[in-house]
Amino acid sequence: MAAPVTRQVRGGAVPGPRPPPVAVGPEGLPLAAGVAELPLLDARGRRVQFGALFRERRAVVVLVRHFLCYVCKEYVEDLAKIPKSFLEEADITLIVIGQSSYHHIEPFCKLTGYSHEIYVDPEREIYKRLGMKRGEEIASSGQSPHVKSNLLSGSLQSLWRAVTGPLFDFQGDPAQQGGTLILGPGRFMMN
């Protein structure tokens, strides 16, 4: 069995002054123009620039498909188990970004137990500029320990949450794919 994620996130602050922020994409080219300036919304609807999340600190940014996605819900439930003390010791911030209305942040956090930073990109501009795929194709690299439900039960749970929730909507584009970014001053890595 693989070591828990909390044991993989280690280290302390990097000694010395940090380099100026330089965001590059997967091929080493500059990050899509203007991505850092794009707005996100927090749980109260306040605007925050995407680049402000990683300009002066290292961050693991998880862009989820949508808040009704059962795979995303179960993954975020596992992220919620990472103690803040581990992240602080490693000098890393954990951030989740969804693509729904900011009204869905609080219910999603209550559902998953997630207490780290979370924002939304309701227009999916960051997803688009980073070239994140759309579509329902399922690419499997093996069974993820984060996903506990099967396709049928997970889909039914998502549908049930959609129709019984106080704000009936799809909480984002169901075809939008997500991804994980490792960002920080002078760092950009996309998975």
Side-chain angles (χ1 to χ4, degrees), residues 7-189:
R7 298 207 179 151
Q8 296 171 4
V9 178
R10 285 225 162 139
V14 178
R18 293 185 177 193
V22 178
V24 295
E27 287 82 37
L29 301 171
L31 187 59
V35 167
E37 286 74 38
L38 290 173
L40 295 169
L41 300 175
D42 69 11
R44 294 188 176 141
R46 294 178 297 208
R47 293 169 65 99
V48 176
Q49 268 191 345
F50 178 56
L53 303 179
F54 60 88
R55 189 167 287 124
E56 296 180 14
R57 60 187 179 162
R58 294 183 297 169
V60 174
V61 179
V62 178
L63 289 100
V64 296
R65 293 186 63 221
H66 54 86
F67 289 154
L68 286 176
C69 169
Y70 74 92
V71 172
C72 299
K73 173 195 161 285
E74 292 176 1
Y75 184 57
V76 172
E77 285 173 337
D78 282 355
L79 293 176
K81 296 174 186 173
I82 300 173
K84 289 187 185 217
S85 61
F86 282 97
L87 296 170
E88 289 167 359
E89 180 185 323
D91 193 28
I92 293 175
T93 303
L94 179 59
I95 302 166
V96 168
I97 298 176
Q99 42 117 358
S100 70
S101 163
Y102 72 90
H103 295 99
H104 294 293
I105 292 175
E106 189 176 327
F108 185 72
C109 288
K110 284 181 182 174
L111 178 69
T112 60
Y114 185 80
S115 63
H116 304 288
E117 291 185 48
I118 186 166
Y119 303 92
V120 291
D121 175 14
E123 303 300 321
R124 296 183 303 113
E125 285 304 317
I126 293 170
Y127 291 78
K128 292 174 192 172
R129 297 250 188 116
L130 291 176
M132 297 205 166
K133 296 180 181 179
R134 289 188 71 251
E136 288 296 326
E137 62 191 58
I138 297 172
S140 178
S141 58
Q143 181 66 31
S144 170
H146 302 290
V147 181
K148 290 92 178 162
S149 301
N150 64 39
L151 181 61
L152 178 61
S153 69
S155 298
L156 289 173
Q157 291 170 31
S158 295
L159 181 60
W160 181 253
R161 287 195 346 259
V163 298
T164 60
L167 303 169
F168 178 71
D169 65 26
F170 287 104
Q171 301 184 27
D173 179 352
Q176 180 64 59
Q177 298 295 309
T180 302
L181 308 169
I182 300 172
L183 303 166
R187 294 174 180 84
F188 178 86
M189 201 166 109

